[in-house]
């Protein structure tokens, strides 16, 4: 039985994702595909446009057999920790043999080469970084310059977000000495950050942008037929869309009610970022205006967005570090599966290295204190997510308990 | 030099207040009148409709010589603690010799009589309360029945909000053995809670209601000429009005991000009120809808409103108790004064029993740790208040530092 894992956000699920799944199935001859997916908040530090149950359903309808949630603490972490958490979850299932990811590079050798250097950190590599840093550039730039010099792989390949993630997956696999093999599918057509929809393959960024501008028909052009109805219904009911700026009130309140000392303990608040936040000293900023204000050469926009999201969700460095020190995710939480693939659950329950949650009502008897702490933050963040729904009838608290796994 | 103190909210300042001040000045032959006034949040557990600087200015323009702030912790406390704090501040000034308040009773003897009984608690009084309680009625009702039986003062006088406050003032004066004398002015025409404006004398409730309904001209009918321009400008700029429901987002966020255990430590959250708050389990409630939902025979609406306001402002029982145990207000904060009355500041600086704050930039050198804690909550609550302004250009943080005392 060949089982492939895909790290995903599906924010939202679109034709490109479907294409990747189909191609993965063929190229890896997989019997089953398991998506390790972000929950209601995603890695760029914002709420997902549709909630996790909706995104799970769309994935299951289009070739994914099971969806496992990446816990909030890592779904919203930097690429490095996001990747390591996802890869560790895959490894913990005990049943995934291959990881597949899209990349512009398209060649696993490229990715392997870079991951090797980053994992082993040869002297030459460290020296070039030092040299570059002394010129006054930021660490990520120094690092990619060093990589370019050693590997001769062009910078634009090294800096492509999908390739970066791929590199991180491989690095993590090496680190945890996993037996999982890597495979990559060349991403074609739509560029990751492209903001227009030119064909039925478009970036998630473009689709979100069209939804933001209420150009729903245009947005739906790039999603599978069976998702169109789901998205439309979701939007019509006012469960979605949810955007970062919907967090503005909460962010302002949290900043007012906290001290800079407290904020400095929040995950991703580093190097005095708390001072820039308090320099923003103004309520007239939306979440994104606050990010714009704080942005500087020193901090990327997504780093700031993550820091502010963590501020709203009260995610502390000490907690994140505690989880990192204890194997990242404390459980495998199944968001949904295809009934035909129920053998996956059976196999996983035999081989998994972590407790498996299929119904959070049972969490108390399955998890230890640390696991419950991780899950409670998930439940709390879902309450926050629900509070952002355009239609306030969807904003009841503790719906995480009443929402069953998605089964199709 | 005869100096009279008036406990006030001036929410907003209107002709009735002006009338009271003028009559007080005549009847007590006062040289000066000092208002002890709530800041940005008031005793019924909601934001004041205009900010404290605006309300201070209006008071100074209409016969008040100096305005001293009642700290947030007690400006938003139950009538008992609100009154005791205000009276203690008056006493601490060392210069106020008389307290004047409006009452429907209009006779200081009535109020004295009741205050005496409440303060001394004679056996007869306690016995009637016991008897009444045994019939299954709540304590406030039992107490007012007992008072009625002993004093023969009609129940409607005993239960009138202004009379209740007057009684509390006198009780507090007795308790702290103050030399301050009491004087009352009979309130006429507009009833405390009347919601319509029939003449140039109207209740603050009615004026707020008209402003809420954007019937500004009607509202202004009941305010002094020199306030009309101030209120209009304030409303036109979008600094005001501010209402309880503007706190809805913050309240929901705070409830989501806290546990019932945490909420149970909030001031005025008593007898399991936290459970009713969590039963409200829904984001689709505004602040006032939440109050309506929680309201029951056991809790009055204003008690709940205060409890929810304290939740938003994170005012903990333990802190309030610490201040109560240490003399209530930790300082005398002057919000404004008439230049012609600057002798008041001079006299007060000689005779005051508490540190006097005229510029909070100097607070660090004047206050001890407890005083700074009290003041910091004031500054934080002003940030929250500003965040509620209709025009977000008025919502900068820490404006408390940049706003000088009002001097006219």
């Amino acid at each position: 039985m060949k089982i492939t894992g895909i790290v995903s956000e599906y924010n939202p699920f679109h034709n490109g994702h479907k294409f990747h799944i189909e191609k993965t199935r063929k190229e890896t001859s997989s019997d089953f595909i398991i998506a390790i997916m972000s929950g209601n908040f995603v890695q760029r530090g914002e709420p997902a446009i549709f909630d996790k149950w909706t995104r799970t359903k769309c994935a299951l309808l289009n070739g994914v057999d099971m969806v496992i949630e990446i816990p909030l603490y890592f779904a919203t972490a930097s690429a490095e920790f996001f990747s390591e958490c996802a890869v560790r979850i895959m490894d913990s299932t005990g049943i995934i043999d291959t990881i597949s990811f899209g990349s512009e590079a398209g060649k696993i050798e490229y990715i392997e080469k870079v991951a090797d250097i980053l994992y082993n950190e040869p002297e030459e590599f460290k020296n070039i970084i030092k040299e570059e840093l002394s010129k006054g550039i930021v660490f990520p730039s120094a690092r990619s310059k060093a990589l370019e010099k050693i590997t001769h792989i062009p910078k634009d390949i090294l800096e492509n977000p999908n390739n970066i993630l791929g590199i991180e997956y491989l690095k993590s696999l090496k680190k945890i000495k996993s037996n999982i093999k890597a495979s990559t599918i060349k991403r074609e057509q739509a560029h990751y950050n492209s903001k227009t929809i030119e064909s039925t393959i478009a970036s998630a960024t473009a689709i979100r942008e069209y939804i933001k501008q209420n150009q729903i028909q245009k947005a739906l052009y790039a999603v599978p037929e069976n998702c169109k109805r789901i998205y439309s219904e979701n939007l019509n009911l006012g469960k979605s869309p949810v955007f970062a700026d919907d967090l503005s009130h909460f962010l302002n309140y949290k900043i007012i009610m906290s001290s800079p000392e407290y904020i400095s303990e929040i995950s991703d608040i580093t190097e005095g970022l708390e001072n820039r936040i308090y320099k923003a000293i103004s309520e007239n900023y939306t979440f994104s205006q606050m990010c714009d204000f704080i942005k500087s050469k020193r901090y990327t926009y997504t780093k700031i967005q993550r820091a502010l999201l963590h501020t709203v969700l009260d995610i502390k460095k000490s907690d994140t570090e505690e989880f990192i020190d204890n194997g990242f995710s404390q459980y495998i939480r199944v968001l949904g599966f295809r009934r035909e693939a129920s053998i996956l659950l059976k196999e996983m329950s035999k081989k998994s290295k972590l407790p498996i949650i299929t119904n959070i009502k049972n969490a108390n008897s399955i998890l230890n204190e640390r696991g419950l702490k991780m899950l409670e933050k998930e439940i709390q963040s879902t309450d926050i997510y629900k509070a952002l729904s355009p239609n306030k009838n969807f904003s009841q608290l503790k719906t995480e308990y009443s929402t069953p796994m998605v089964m199709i």
Side-chain angles (χ1 to χ4, degrees), chain A residues 73-74 267 316-327:
Chain A
Y73 283 95
F74 298 106
S267 217
K316 296 194 194 70
K317 280 173 197 156
S318 55
D319 290 336
T320 308
E321 281 158 15
E322 182 193 339
F323 294 127
I324 290 176
D325 292 343
N326 289 279

Side-chain angles (χ1 to χ4, degrees), chain A residues 6-18:
Chain A
I6 294 174
V7 183
S8 59
E9 294 200 313
Y10 296 151
N11 181 29
F13 192 92
H14 57 57
N15 286 325
H17 296 129
K18 188 176 180 181

Side-chain angles (χ1 to χ4, degrees), chain A residues 323-340:
Chain A
F323 294 127
I324 290 176
D325 292 343
N326 289 279
F328 289 65
S329 186
Q330 305 299 302
Y331 47 73
I332 291 176
R333 181 173 183 203
V334 182
L335 290 177
F337 66 95
R338 291 177 61 238
R339 283 199 176 79
E340 292 165 22

Side-chain angles (χ1 to χ4, degrees), chain A residues 238-281:
Chain A
K239 279 170 89 168
S240 307
V242 177
F243 296 109
D245 273 350
D246 298 323
L247 290 164
S248 308
H249 281 107
F250 296 169
L251 177 66
N252 284 322
Y253 175 78
K254 180 72 180 181
I255 294 173
I256 292 173
M257 297 303 287
S258 309
S259 62
E261 295 68 43
Y262 185 91
I263 297 289
S264 73
E265 289 171 16
I266 295 286
S267 217
D268 277 306
I269 303 275
T270 53
E271 304 166 274
L273 195 54
E274 72 277 13
N275 298 320
R276 283 192 71 78
I277 290 175
Y278 278 87
K279 258 190 200 143
I281 49 159

Side-chain angles (χ1 to χ4, degrees), chain A residues 361-374:
Chain A
K361 286 177 189 159
N362 304 330
N364 270 314
S365 59
I366 303 173
L367 301 181
N368 61 15
E369 208 179 314
R370 187 175 293 124
L372 285 172
K373 184 165 136 185
M374 178 169 256

Side-chain angles (χ1 to χ4, degrees), chain A residues 331 357 360 363 367 371-379:
Chain A
Y331 47 73
I357 308 175
I360 68 162
L367 301 181
L372 285 172
K373 184 165 136 185
M374 178 169 256
L375 185 65
E376 268 155 27
K377 187 53 90 176
E378 205 71 51
I379 294 164

